[in-house]
Amino acid sequence: MVEGNRPWDIGRFLQTLVYFDVIPCLGWVMRLLQGHEENDGKNEPGGKMQVVLVAGATGGVGKRVVQRLVERGYKVRSLVRDADRARALLGDKVELYVGDITKPETLTSKMMANVSAVVCCTAVRVQPVEGDTPDRDKYYQGVKFYQPEIVGDTPERVEYLGVKHLVQAAVPYLSRSTEIIFDFAAPSKDLPDIWGVVDDVVMGGVSESGIHLVGNTALFAGNVSTANSGGFASVRTRNFESPLSLTGYDGIELRVKGDGKRYKFIIRSDPRWDGTAFSYSFDTIDNSWIDVRIPFAQLVPVFRAKTLRDSPPIDLSNIYSFQLMLSKFEYDGELNPKFEPGSFALQVESIRAYGGMTKPKFVLVSSAGVTRPGRAGINLEEEPPAVRLNDQLGGILTWKLKGEDSVRESGVPYTIIRPCALTEEPGVQALIFDQGDNIKGKVSRDSVAELCVQVLEQPKACNVTFEVKQAQGSDRLPQWEQLFEQLQPDVSFCNYETTT
Ligand SMILES: NC(=O)c1ccc[n+]([C@@H]2O[C@H](COP(=O)([O-])OP(=O)(O)OC[C@H]3O[C@@H](n4cnc5c(N)ncnc54)[C@H](OP(=O)(O)O)[C@@H]3O)[C@@H](O)[C@H]2O)c1
């Protein structure tokens, strides 16, 4: 059915141009005239897709992990016990969740939603027997030895049960092999700042659509009309502030419930409003939830709905925007066989990337020496204080080892980092990795924090436990690839495979 001519709505046309900053100054002038505040340009997702939860974010290593993750463009969520202290320490770029790993009821699904990796830097509180003062606190233990004691919770509760609670709370969120990009089941509140409408009004048509949060989904719905030679409705993200990298993934997975119609998902690695786009058509099943996989290899390069024969492939390292569309047309004038003018509705629960290599999703900062208390052939005189004083410190290393075990047994891809004595020395030094729990030495908290961030991007660090210390007499930065290359996966876990 072809509809006739209807009056064209220039107001909506201008709104679209303004929303997407198609004519940059126009948007600014309109916002000024309408008295709207300037958009801060913070369009999700952008940069890294991952939301990383840092437990122990107020600690010596944890605060540095947070800082480094923020600098790399991760979205950081911090599990803290004192929100005011944490805010003062960590700044306002991180989300704070108040919780306590010894109290599993505080490790909520809200805190875990969207999280794609956890870095755990928690520790039982150890302080000098004489009391904690700024010039004698535990951060100076690496410089000068003070007789330590445990204060507050026991090592069993923090180092073992706490870590176990945290990893168990994370399992449902970390055992998928896909990476979340948009999770409308737990959306950030700025959906209207990210997704906007692009209907055929931009070409004189009168179709009308919108996107709204309904239940745990985003509902793309409206009315598509062929009047005025129109025939499409769509919603598109504004360009991500920093382009998204999907390098290493095979494609996009949409979880959708539709109405039996055929839709398009469009990806752009060209920041221009009207440049080359990469499109994929997919069919929905009326009133049924389905997972639609969109392999990057099957994306069709297009300019509007015309296919481009000689287009370079999509640049997966620079993805600027996504678009969902219902159109009368397929490509090059072909008609969409499932198109009917009139109302339509497509619910979207999530947009994920699939097919990436498995990378560590739970990083635990443990300690060198955890297997040494009671080990045959150990000369305690030569061991670091934590090993010598393990019994006096409530079995701290013994419980740390049990905490490690709970991570190894969880089924989540993990890395367990066992630093030697931690120091406050600034900067990242050359490092030595070892396995088998035999090395002694020291390493800066800055180095360990950087290491935590590095392993998140390292498939070779998956299901690996290793010790780390500073290489003496070298001012070279760590050669990350070489260091990770030498690591062996933990024997009983090296055949781990993720499930979707
Ligand atoms: N010190 C060393 O020489 C050495 C050597 C090897 C390995 N390590 C290990 O390296 C890791 C990092 O050390 P660090 O010096 O950065 O530790 P840290 O400064 O003592 O920080 C510990 C963090 O854990 C948090 N925490 C403690 N109990 C908690 C609970 N029940 N729930 C939630 N958070 C809790 C603390 O929060 P609050 O701020 O609220 O207290 C703090 O943020 C630890 O596992 C440590 O054992 C240390």
Side-chain angles (χ1 to χ4, degrees):
M1 186 179 69
V2 177
E3 299 164 82
N5 282 344
R6 299 235 298 262
W8 181 55
D9 188 341
I10 189 170
R12 282 181 55 217
F13 171 69
L14 284 175
Q15 262 173 22
T16 307
L17 299 189
V18 168
Y19 181 89
F20 288 98
D21 267 337
V22 180
I23 307 169
C25 287
L26 177 65
W28 181 76
V29 171
M30 296 277 282
R31 278 193 290 273
L32 211 64
L33 289 176
Q34 291 163 4
H36 289 181
E37 281 178 24
E38 273 296 281
N39 179 301
D40 65 0
K42 190 176 158 287
N43 303 324
E44 298 224 33
K48 296 273 194 292
M49 288 181 280
Q50 294 99 323
V51 177
V52 180
L53 176 73
V54 180
T58 49
V61 172
K63 68 181 181 193
R64 291 165 165 97
V65 171
V66 169
Q67 187 192 352
R68 283 166 191 272
L69 288 171
V70 169
E71 283 166 8
R72 305 288 161 82
Y74 288 90
K75 291 166 192 59
V76 182
R77 196 169 286 175
S78 298
L79 164 58
V80 298
R81 294 193 289 188
D82 179 337
D84 290 341
R85 213 183 117 236
R87 186 58 76 204
L89 193 66
L90 305 174
D92 53 10
K93 286 201 174 136
V94 298
E95 280 183 272
L96 300 180
Y97 279 81
V98 174
D100 185 320
I101 58 169
T102 66
K103 298 177 183 147
E105 68 281 5
T106 65
L107 309 176
T108 59
S109 52
K110 193 161 175 236
M111 181 180 82
M112 289 295 175
N114 291 351
V115 164
S116 49
V118 174
V119 181
C120 178
C121 315
T122 52
V124 74
R125 190 161 171 72
V126 184
Q127 69 175 38
V129 172
E130 297 88 348
D132 214 354
T133 61
D135 62 342
R136 197 170 52 195
D137 74 9
K138 71 190 188 66
Y139 297 125
Y140 286 83
Q141 287 284 10
V143 181
K144 181 168 174 1
F145 176 73
Y146 290 98
Q147 190 68 27
E149 68 175 355
I150 301 283
V151 285
D153 259 325
T154 62
E156 179 183 8
R157 279 172 54 76
V158 179
E159 308 289 357
Y160 169 44
L161 293 171
V163 170
K164 187 173 169 187
H165 294 148
L166 184 64
V167 74
Q168 285 181 349
V171 164
Y173 302 87
L174 302 186
S175 43
R176 291 181 66 117
S177 62
T178 53
E179 207 70 73
I180 194 84
I181 303 174
F182 283 102
D183 184 354
F184 298 110
S188 58
K189 51 186 179 306
D190 38 8
L191 181 94
D193 290 338
I194 302 165
W195 290 86
V197 173
V198 187
D199 292 334
D200 56 15
V201 70
V202 292
M203 303 162 67
V206 295
S207 301
E208 256 183 286
S209 73
I211 186 163
H212 304 284
L213 290 172
V214 176
N216 288 334
T217 67
L219 176 64
F220 164 42
N223 198 293
V224 68
S225 161
T226 53
N228 299 11
S229 308
F232 77 84
S234 81
V235 285
R236 172 172 166 174
T237 64
R238 283 167 150 162
N239 276 353
F240 305 134
E241 192 187 351
S242 27
L244 191 64
S245 175
L246 296 175
T247 310
Y249 291 92
D250 293 340
I252 295 284
E253 184 182 281
L254 308 176
R255 178 137 185 90
V256 293
K257 184 165 86 172
D259 46 11
K261 296 196 162 92
R262 175 175 295 184
Y263 291 82
K264 287 177 182 172
F265 187 74
I266 300 166
I267 309 179
R268 285 181 174 77
S269 58
D270 180 341
R272 286 174 301 170
W273 163 253
D274 205 13
T276 302
F278 292 82
S279 179
Y280 182 88
S281 300
F282 63 94
D283 292 335
T284 58
I285 301 172
D286 189 20
N287 208 26
S288 291
W289 281 106
I290 54 170
D291 291 315
V292 178
R293 285 208 157 183
I294 300 171
F296 293 135
Q298 289 180 29
L299 289 170
V300 180
V302 291
F303 178 71
R304 300 181 188 163
K306 266 178 67 180
T307 56
L308 299 171
R309 274 213 204 105
D310 301 319
S311 159
I314 188 164
D315 175 5
L316 291 176
S317 64
N318 277 306
I319 301 299
Y320 279 95
S321 71
F322 295 148
Q323 186 170 11
L324 279 162
M325 179 180 280
L326 174 62
S327 173
K328 173 182 166 183
F329 292 104
E330 279 283 273
Y331 307 103
D332 302 324
E334 293 265 321
L335 292 176
N336 174 351
K338 305 221 166 163
F339 180 79
E340 281 285 334
S343 62
F344 70 91
L346 178 73
Q347 268 175 288
V348 188
E349 190 181 278
S350 59
I351 301 177
R352 295 170 173 273
Y354 73 87
M357 282 178 86
T358 304
K359 295 177 195 156
K361 295 190 173 184
F362 195 100
V363 180
L364 176 67
V365 181
S366 177
S367 177
V370 287
T371 65
R372 292 181 223 174
R375 192 206 284 176
I378 288 283
N379 179 357
L380 281 183
E381 296 306 307
E382 291 172 5
E383 288 299 322
V387 180
R388 270 189 280 129
L389 300 172
N390 186 50
D391 289 345
Q392 287 105 300
L393 293 176
I396 185 168
L397 293 180
T398 314
W399 292 115
K400 266 191 179 299
L401 181 60
K402 290 211 37 132
E404 287 188 2
D405 287 342
S406 68
V407 174
R408 281 184 284 261
E409 286 158 9
S410 66
V412 167
Y414 65 84
T415 306
I416 294 172
I417 300 171
R418 293 172 169 171
C420 292
L422 293 178
T423 71
E424 290 287 291
E425 253 174 88
V428 179
Q429 288 95 24
L431 298 177
I432 293 173
F433 288 180
D434 198 25
Q435 291 181 288
D437 194 17
N438 294 309
I439 58 171
K440 292 163 206 155
K442 60 176 187 169
V443 59
S444 71
R445 287 183 172 85
D446 274 344
S447 297
V448 175
E450 178 61 27
L451 178 54
C452 290
V453 176
Q454 290 286 334
V455 299
L456 292 175
E457 295 296 336
Q458 262 298 342
K460 290 194 194 88
C462 231
N463 303 332
V464 164
T465 302
F466 66 98
E467 295 76 48
V468 58
K469 69 172 182 175
Q470 187 178 325
Q472 295 299 332
S474 167
D475 52 8
R476 285 176 64 197
L477 284 173
Q479 305 296 304
W480 297 113
E481 287 301 322
Q482 285 172 22
L483 286 165
F484 288 116
E485 196 67 55
Q486 54 176 275
L487 294 175
Q488 297 300 318
D490 297 335
V491 176
S492 40
F493 301 92
C494 58
N495 291 327
Y496 176 85
E497 277 179 23
T498 50
T499 48
T500 316

